[in-house]
Amino acid sequence: MEAPSKRRRRPAKTAGARKRTRCYDGKYLCRDHEETSSDRISELPDHLLATILGHLDTRSSAATSVLARRWRYLWKSVPRLRFSCHDAMQPTYVRRFVRAHKYAFVKPSLCQWRRQVRVSDERLSRLINRHKSRIFERSLSGFLRASGYDCETSNNTRIVSLVLNCYMKDRYAKLIDQLLRLAICHGVEDLKILEQHWETILLQQALVPISSLYIYLFAGSTGSSLMKLKLGECTLNVPLGFSGFKSLVEISFDRMYISEEMIQTLLENCPTLRSFHLNSCLGITNLKIDSKRLELRELIVNNCSWITYIELAAPKLQRFRYTGNA
């Protein structure tokens, strides 16, 4: 019989050499990892970091204050503000909220045993909207309390743009009014206010606004820096004695109820206006633009079903686009 073959072992020198090679390579790998994993974002100057944070919504940019001491007050120097009720809850958080509120427990006093009742989709959507409104209200109040903006002082950061997209409710109307006044006092140039109640208006079959935006907040010298204005799904009331926007270049109305007199008043009091957009607006039957002093270069009318007659007398008009029923 043949003797069983013994397992051949590698020489000790080879194992030791491999171990030394592994340690030698690991030392250089750790050194290369330390060189490549340095925090290059924190090495950027503050104005570049503020520009990067300007691409986020204000609630997310304010959350960076917990990263380090340098980031604690960096979000206050961001020149672009954006508040949206859609950014209040992330998709993952919405899914968790739905799983937590998908079922309701019936009290034992109402039945002999405790059981689960499935919550209807309508009630679940109301719960989500209510929770979003609560988070949005807290974010607005927290920003106004912690940002340090003040109309009386002039050494604060200038607000270049403000985007406000939310469901207008009476519960935080004062907070929105304070935010608009602060933006105007700090020289806002691009202002976008998009309210969310158009679906409710269509269901009720009545054009009754939930809230209104008064243009006198931007009139006079306080609105002299405003260059772009976009309003959506809100009511615009032009008061008597309106002095106009002296530096406004672009106006855009989206799904609004406006009158012919209101448009005429705006065009007459905006001498530097160059672009005028109307998108799915109601209340206008005859659109008349007749002003030789007007600097209007672009006019876009999109899906305004009430308009039956258009008269243009703008000598500097370069682009006109109409989309809708002929």
Side-chain angles (χ1 to χ4, degrees):
M1 296 180 61
E2 296 181 0
S5 60
K6 296 182 180 180
R7 187 175 181 180
R8 304 179 64 180
R9 297 182 180 179
R10 295 182 179 179
K13 294 183 179 180
T14 306
R18 289 182 61 191
K19 185 176 180 180
R20 287 192 298 271
T21 305
R22 185 167 58 250
C23 296
Y24 184 78
D25 295 341
K27 181 174 64 176
Y28 281 93
L29 288 175
C30 294
R31 183 183 300 175
D32 295 339
H33 178 71
E34 291 177 358
E35 292 178 357
T36 56
S37 63
S38 59
D39 190 3
R40 297 185 178 182
I41 296 180
S42 299
E43 297 177 358
L44 297 176
D46 291 345
H47 68 279
L48 289 181
L49 293 177
T51 303
I52 295 174
L53 293 179
H55 294 279
L56 302 174
D57 60 288
T58 306
R59 186 169 179 266
S60 300
S61 63
T64 59
S65 60
V66 300
L67 295 178
R69 291 184 178 180
R70 184 189 177 189
W71 294 78
R72 183 175 301 176
Y73 304 104
L74 190 61
W75 65 275
K76 297 183 180 181
S77 60
V78 177
R80 300 180 182 275
L81 305 179
R82 183 164 65 91
F83 296 91
S84 177
C85 61
H86 304 291
D87 299 330
M89 295 176 63
Q90 299 296 331
T92 55
Y93 187 79
V94 172
R95 288 193 292 267
R96 294 176 186 174
F97 186 86
V98 170
R99 286 197 301 265
H101 296 79
K102 196 173 183 179
Y103 295 93
F105 290 95
V106 179
K107 294 183 179 180
S109 59
L110 300 179
C111 57
Q112 297 180 357
W113 60 89
R114 184 167 177 162
R115 60 191 179 90
Q116 288 182 340
V117 179
R118 189 178 183 90
V119 179
S120 61
D121 295 338
E122 183 180 357
R123 183 181 178 185
L124 195 59
S125 62
R126 289 201 303 266
L127 289 175
I128 294 174
N129 292 334
R130 190 183 306 170
H131 194 59
K132 283 184 178 180
S133 300
R134 191 180 297 111
I135 296 176
F136 182 76
E137 180 183 3
R138 291 177 181 177
S139 62
L140 276 181
S141 59
F143 172 79
L144 293 173
R145 183 175 60 254
S147 61
Y149 284 102
D150 190 5
C151 289
E152 297 179 359
T153 58
S154 59
N155 55 353
N156 290 327
T157 304
R158 184 179 180 182
I159 300 177
V160 177
S161 67
L162 172 62
V163 180
L164 185 61
N165 187 359
C166 64
Y167 297 92
M168 293 296 180
K169 295 184 178 181
D170 295 336
R171 56 184 296 179
Y172 43 77
K174 294 182 179 179
L175 298 175
I176 293 176
D177 184 65
Q178 294 178 10
L179 183 64
L180 291 177
R181 291 180 182 273
L182 286 176
I184 294 166
C185 291
H186 288 267
V188 62
E189 297 180 358
D190 189 358
L191 181 60
K192 297 180 181 179
I193 302 178
L194 307 175
E195 298 186 14
Q196 301 292 332
H197 62 261
W198 189 257
E199 295 180 358
T200 306
I201 292 176
L202 294 180
L203 290 176
Q204 295 177 352
Q205 296 181 357
L207 294 172
V208 180
I210 293 178
S211 60
S212 59
L213 174 68
Y214 293 94
I215 207 170
Y216 68 83
L217 294 175
F218 319 117
S221 59
T222 56
S224 58
S225 61
L226 193 63
M227 299 181 64
K228 295 182 180 181
L229 177 63
K230 182 177 181 179
L231 303 179
E233 302 186 21
C234 60
T235 300
L236 185 64
N237 297 324
V238 180
L240 297 175
F242 172 62
S243 57
F245 302 107
K246 305 304 179 183
S247 59
L248 192 64
V249 177
E250 180 179 342
I251 295 180
S252 179
F253 294 147
D254 187 11
R255 292 179 292 179
M256 291 180 54
Y257 186 89
I258 53 180
S259 61
E260 304 167 12
E261 294 79 7
M262 187 185 306
I263 292 180
Q264 192 65 27
T265 304
L266 286 173
L267 295 178
E268 291 178 355
N269 292 276
C270 298
T272 60
L273 185 64
R274 294 187 178 183
S275 180
F276 186 49
H277 295 190
L278 292 174
N279 182 27
S280 302
C281 294
L282 302 179
I284 312 171
T285 56
N286 298 327
L287 180 60
K288 183 178 180 181
I289 299 178
D290 186 5
S291 179
K292 296 180 180 180
R293 300 184 298 106
L294 192 63
E295 298 288 335
L296 189 64
R297 307 291 177 86
E298 181 183 33
L299 177 62
I300 297 177
V301 181
N302 184 24
N303 294 330
C304 296
S305 58
W306 286 25
I307 295 180
T308 58
Y309 179 78
I310 298 178
E311 181 180 351
L312 300 177
K316 298 183 179 181
L317 187 65
Q318 298 178 358
R319 182 187 179 191
F320 171 70
R321 187 179 69 185
Y322 176 82
T323 304
N325 299 327

